[in-house]
Amino acid sequence: MDIISLYKNRIDALMDILFGAGVSNPQTIIEQLNYLLFLRALSIKDDEAELLGITDESEKIFTGELAKYRWQNLLALNAEDLFKTLETSFDLLQKKSKNPTVKLLFRNAHIKIFDKPTLRRILHEIETFSKELDAIAHEGNKDVFGDMYEYLLSKLSSAGTNGQFRTPRHIIDFMVKVVDPKKNETILDPACGTAGFLVAAYRYIAGEYTSDKLKKAGSPRAMDKLSADEKNFLFNHMFTGFDSDEDMIKFGMMNLHLHGLTKSRLVRQNSLTDTSGIKDKFDVILANPPFAGKIDEESVTEDLRMGTKATELLFLRFMMDHLSSKGKLAVIIPEGVITNSTKTHIKIREMLLESGLWCVVSLPGGVFNPYAGVKTDILFIDKQIAQKTNKIIFTQIGNDGFDLGAQRRQLATSDLPNALTEIQSFKDSVIKNEEPKMSYALTTAVPRQSVLDTSDLSLYGDRYRVRRVLSKGKWPLVALEKLCTLQRGISYSTPQLGDEGNGMPLYNLKSIKRDGDLYKNDFKYFTGEVKDKHLLKKGDLLIALTDLTPSSELIGSPKFVVVDFPTAYSADLGKVVFSEEGLVDSKYLYYLLRSSDYRNYIVTYSHGANVKHLKSDGFYRYEIPLPPISEQKKMVVDLEREEGQIKEKEEEVVQLKESIKQKIAQIWSA
């Protein structure tokens, strides 16, 4: 059995035992295993100190009245005595230990495995399992306990009460590789949770400073390229983490401890409320701060206040304030940070640009399933890179290597390696003062001034992509602002809606389909007064002005009215009102607005967090080829014929499916 399968099987077996004993909350299971694993780790550390001849009692945990609670003594107890002894040991370790980490870890600690035989079985299963890992560690793989614990933490299956959720390991590793932390740099995670970012940074640095010879010999993180002083800095001064959740701090401490980072600074505090006056600057900040809730403005420390309750904006302010002069930052944010048009959002984007923003990576909408479906991006700041280039690069990740469903099953391909190569190529070019060479399809470089010249400083990458236009186009390109306007529909309340036959048919957002289906009509029925300007006729064209989904996939989508009876439309939609008759055929425009070119363009012109709204200036700037009206009508006839053939084929398929059903039914009834 390989190492990974070993610890996965053992952890899964432990969790199954506890589930069977009635401990059903995954966080409780991990908490209880955390205490027991830490008890064993502390006992082993004391044993090693004795073997090394260390006599200083301050270097040990189980001395004096705590001596009887060493792991080996616990293993000898029966089930009844074990429960009582463990509960007492937790209390005394918190009160009597001179080690601050131990005191914090066992604060408010209690045994919650109430089935006593199960508790004793778990203790012995951990011992058997840990001995197997001890043997592997002695062979040179010193990180095996850390790897095991990270797998245990991955079993945390629900978001925390303050909006925390576990960042996928492959996303963390991607961020760390882009940031490229170096020896002697201080590293902070201001919302560290289980310390995943800090551990990933340690693993990366350890790998970078280990020779190929030792890597091949089975010691991938020996760090033989570091001096004794550099190693001392890494283990004692490099890593800092803050978190307001005591349980997360405990998990994080254990995670760092099992990776050998026993002296790292992990502090229970809220980075938004408890850090007033803290002037520490850090060379690297890595974070996925909570962005699910709001905070009382009066609770926010004075040096962070900026007229908002949004935690994602306040965390960004905190991180930028605490970057050193050579600082580097990688942070996951909800997409609203780069698109929303409030004064505070624009101000925070201005601060990001001033602080050295150089790269924005757009992630797929389901990266954080099943915890959250919010669309996210990664922002990268590097003050030294930004000083050397006037460009910002925007990268789109369509596939992060996992499907976007709740189970997040791994796929055979991923855009992340290509994106990493593109980003690193850009960095290398900047350092060498060379013009970057990148694949346009994956990454685009935009002059910083292009962003600064916009009214809202939007950081939505597709907004700055140059539209692909054939240089030898037959027809002139004309902006929609010269051809039409959008007229918003009726605002209504739920009591104004009636049943079919009671009120006027009303198109609303649900009437719009992403594929631009001509024939689908999902009507509401409006019982209020309808003004003439809100009436529709056959041949009118509607545009979706809002969208309820995080992906904005309906924003700007068209709807062509094909019914030949009076209808109205809601404020979610805008009617296209042409400035001049005989210049544009409405169905010709409808077909153009179903194109992938328009779709890729228009989604960049939306703003809002939960409900997206179309920025009409983007719609008006869109350019279309404009042949004479007679040519437009000919093209429409040709396109309608093709669609008619599709509809015929669809009906034929439906008939064939029905025929199959009937024949199967005949077989059963024969």
Side-chain angles (χ1 to χ4, degrees):
M1 182 185 296
D2 64 90
I3 298 172
I4 296 175
S5 297
L6 170 65
Y7 64 69
K8 284 186 175 182
N9 289 343
R10 295 294 189 270
I11 290 296
D12 290 346
L14 288 173
M15 295 190 76
D16 286 344
I17 292 170
L18 289 171
F19 273 122
V23 187
S24 57
N25 186 328
Q27 183 158 324
T28 300
I29 289 176
I30 293 170
E31 173 202 69
Q32 295 293 290
L33 293 178
N34 190 46
Y35 292 142
L36 297 176
L37 286 166
F38 201 58
L39 269 179
R40 186 184 189 277
L42 293 173
S43 295
I44 295 298
K45 187 178 179 182
D46 275 12
D47 292 343
E48 291 173 348
E50 290 180 3
L51 289 173
L52 293 172
I54 296 174
T55 57
D56 186 351
E57 293 295 306
S58 66
E59 292 293 317
K60 300 177 183 179
I61 304 298
F62 296 100
T63 60
E65 64 180 300
L66 293 177
K68 63 181 178 180
Y69 300 111
R70 293 178 73 157
W71 183 257
Q72 290 300 325
N73 294 334
L74 297 175
L75 290 173
L77 298 175
N78 61 41
E80 187 70 32
D81 291 340
L82 177 62
F83 183 91
K84 296 176 183 177
T85 304
L86 277 174
E87 187 71 16
T88 302
S89 71
F90 287 4
D91 181 58
L92 290 177
L93 282 166
Q94 190 272 321
K95 292 177 179 177
K96 302 290 186 180
S97 177
K98 298 176 183 178
N99 186 305
T101 298
V102 173
K103 290 179 75 69
L104 177 59
L105 187 65
F106 286 99
R107 183 165 63 189
N108 299 321
H110 296 281
I111 289 295
K112 297 176 184 177
I113 306 172
F114 298 109
D115 184 80
K116 295 168 185 177
T118 296
L119 175 61
R120 188 173 189 276
R121 181 183 175 189
I122 288 292
L123 210 72
H124 284 267
E125 292 283 349
I126 287 175
E127 173 64 9
T128 301
F129 169 32
S130 296
K131 281 185 175 179
E132 295 174 317
L133 297 185
D134 283 339
I136 295 168
H138 287 312
E139 291 173 2
N141 188 341
K142 301 297 184 184
D143 286 323
V144 64
F145 279 98
D147 292 343
M148 173 275 295
Y149 193 67
E150 286 186 69
Y151 178 71
L152 175 62
L153 293 177
S154 75
K155 296 295 186 176
L156 282 171
S157 61
S158 60
T161 56
N162 296 319
Q164 327 89 319
F165 45 83
R166 190 174 181 274
T167 311
R169 171 76 172 271
H170 63 293
I171 300 296
I172 292 177
D173 289 342
F174 172 81
M175 294 166 66
V176 170
K177 288 174 183 176
V178 172
V179 169
D180 187 26
K182 302 293 187 183
K183 64 181 181 180
N184 295 328
E185 291 183 333
T186 54
I187 302 175
L188 167 72
D189 183 345
C192 65
T194 60
F197 277 104
L198 300 180
V199 167
Y202 155 73
R203 293 164 67 97
Y204 177 81
I205 292 169
E208 289 291 294
Y209 292 100
T210 297
S211 64
D212 291 339
K213 179 180 179 180
L214 286 184
K215 286 179 181 177
K216 291 178 181 178
S219 299
R221 298 182 184 90
M223 294 182 282
D224 55 315
K225 292 183 179 181
L226 295 181
S227 67
D229 286 344
E230 289 167 339
K231 285 185 179 180
N232 177 65
F233 176 83
L234 183 148
F235 285 108
N236 293 289
H237 306 289
M238 178 174 281
F239 301 101
T240 299
F242 303 145
D243 202 281
S244 60
D245 188 311
E246 186 170 296
D247 287 336
M248 292 300 110
I249 285 290
K250 290 179 179 181
F251 296 150
M253 282 183 168
M254 185 66 177
N255 201 4
L256 293 172
H257 185 93
L258 291 174
H259 283 88
L261 303 171
T262 58
K263 300 291 181 66
S264 296
R265 180 184 174 212
L266 226 58
V267 181
R268 186 174 72 88
Q269 67 181 28
N270 188 320
S271 295
L272 304 183
T273 63
D274 303 336
T275 54
S276 180
I278 290 181
K279 303 301 180 185
D280 294 357
K281 301 284 187 178
F282 297 87
D283 303 316
V284 176
I285 298 179
L286 300 159
N288 178 15
F291 44 75
K294 305 295 180 183
I295 188 170
D296 190 332
E297 285 187 62
E298 293 184 1
S299 298
V300 177
T301 183
E302 287 189 15
D303 51 359
L304 294 182
R305 291 180 188 176
M306 50 192 306
T308 182
K309 299 178 181 180
T311 55
E312 63 268 23
L313 302 183
L314 294 168
F315 266 108
L316 281 173
R317 172 71 184 270
F318 173 87
M319 288 184 273
M320 286 185 282
D321 286 353
H322 290 80
L323 273 180
S324 70
S325 59
K326 61 178 182 179
K328 299 180 285 187
L329 164 69
V331 57
I332 296 171
I333 47 93
E335 192 150 271
V337 169
I338 66 175
T339 59
N340 286 0
S341 297
T342 70
K343 289 182 180 180
T344 310
H345 281 88
I346 295 172
K347 178 62 179 177
I348 207 75
R349 292 198 287 270
E350 181 183 2
M351 294 173 66
L352 287 165
L353 291 164
E354 291 173 349
S355 297
L357 181 76
W358 69 278
C359 179
V360 180
V361 175
S362 175
L363 295 174
V367 164
F368 291 102
N369 281 337
Y371 313 112
V374 64
K375 178 77 171 65
T376 55
D377 298 78
I378 308 173
L379 303 181
F380 292 95
I381 285 176
D382 189 319
K383 294 187 177 182
Q384 293 179 316
I385 291 292
Q387 288 171 1
K388 291 174 176 271
T389 180
N390 67 347
K391 292 183 177 179
I392 299 173
I393 60 171
F394 294 90
T395 297
Q396 182 81 32
I397 305 295
N399 165 23
D400 71 324
F402 295 81
D403 69 30
L404 301 180
Q407 300 302 316
R408 296 285 282 147
R409 295 182 178 86
Q410 190 164 3
L411 303 174
T413 60
S414 171
D415 291 339
L416 287 173
N418 288 335
L420 181 63
T421 299
E422 295 283 272
I423 292 169
Q424 290 176 329
S425 174
F426 178 88
K427 286 178 67 175
D428 292 342
S429 299
V430 168
I431 292 169
K432 297 175 183 177
N433 293 316
E434 299 175 352
E435 185 66 24
K437 297 178 181 179
M438 296 175 297
S439 166
Y440 171 77
L442 184 65
T443 304
T444 188
V446 175
R448 186 179 301 269
Q449 194 60 44
S450 295
V451 179
L452 293 171
D453 287 343
T454 62
S455 60
D456 60 358
L457 304 181
S458 171
L459 295 174
Y460 202 109
D462 282 350
R463 181 167 178 174
Y464 304 102
R465 295 187 192 278
V466 178
R467 286 184 56 223
R468 183 179 61 82
V469 178
L470 298 177
S471 59
K472 296 181 181 180
K474 186 176 181 180
W475 315 113
L477 291 172
V478 181
L480 289 177
E481 64 184 349
K482 297 181 179 180
L483 303 173
C484 64
T485 58
L486 291 176
Q487 183 172 282
R488 186 178 288 273
I490 300 169
S491 295
Y492 63 87
S493 60
T494 302
Q496 291 177 290
L497 298 179
D499 298 327
E500 184 172 355
N502 181 21
M504 178 170 286
L506 181 81
Y507 287 99
N508 69 352
L509 190 62
K510 291 186 177 180
S511 306
I512 298 280
K513 302 300 173 187
R514 171 66 182 82
D515 60 1
D517 187 351
L518 271 170
Y519 307 100
K520 182 71 174 178
N521 293 305
D522 291 329
F523 289 125
K524 299 288 184 181
Y525 291 86
F526 181 64
T527 59
E529 180 185 357
V530 179
K531 297 180 181 179
D532 289 344
K533 66 179 182 179
H534 293 145
L535 284 172
L536 296 171
K537 63 181 183 301
K538 185 176 181 180
D540 279 341
L541 183 60
L542 296 169
I543 301 295
L545 301 181
T546 63
D547 190 3
L548 300 177
T549 63
S551 62
S552 303
E553 66 174 14
L554 291 181
I555 286 290
S557 293
K559 173 71 177 179
F560 191 81
V561 178
V562 296
V563 299
D564 202 9
F565 51 81
T567 56
Y569 63 105
S570 74
D572 291 328
L573 309 175
K575 179 170 67 173
V576 175
V577 179
F578 292 104
S579 307
E580 182 180 339
E581 285 194 23
L583 195 58
V584 185
D585 182 88
S586 60
K587 187 170 276 193
Y588 170 77
L589 178 58
Y590 161 76
Y591 279 121
L592 291 184
L593 299 186
R594 289 175 60 184
S595 68
S596 58
D597 180 77
Y598 170 76
R599 172 55 30 201
N600 293 334
Y601 167 88
I602 200 62
V603 294
T604 68
Y605 289 94
S606 64
H607 65 94
N610 298 320
V611 178
K612 300 289 187 179
H613 300 277
L614 177 68
K615 294 181 179 178
S616 57
D617 61 332
F619 176 82
Y620 289 136
R621 282 202 291 267
Y622 186 72
E623 297 177 326
I624 65 167
L626 194 66
I629 191 73
S630 58
E631 291 293 329
Q632 295 177 38
K633 291 183 180 298
K634 289 179 183 178
M635 295 175 188
V636 167
V637 169
D638 185 51
L639 292 167
E640 284 180 327
R641 182 174 61 252
E642 297 284 350
E643 282 212 319
Q645 292 175 359
I646 291 173
K647 191 167 183 62
E648 289 175 2
K649 295 294 184 184
E650 289 174 346
E651 291 174 352
E652 185 178 336
V653 168
V654 170
Q655 292 173 1
L656 287 171
K657 287 182 177 179
E658 183 59 33
S659 176
I660 291 172
K661 287 182 181 178
Q662 291 177 2
K663 288 180 178 178
I664 292 173
Q666 289 172 1
I667 293 172
W668 281 102
S669 61

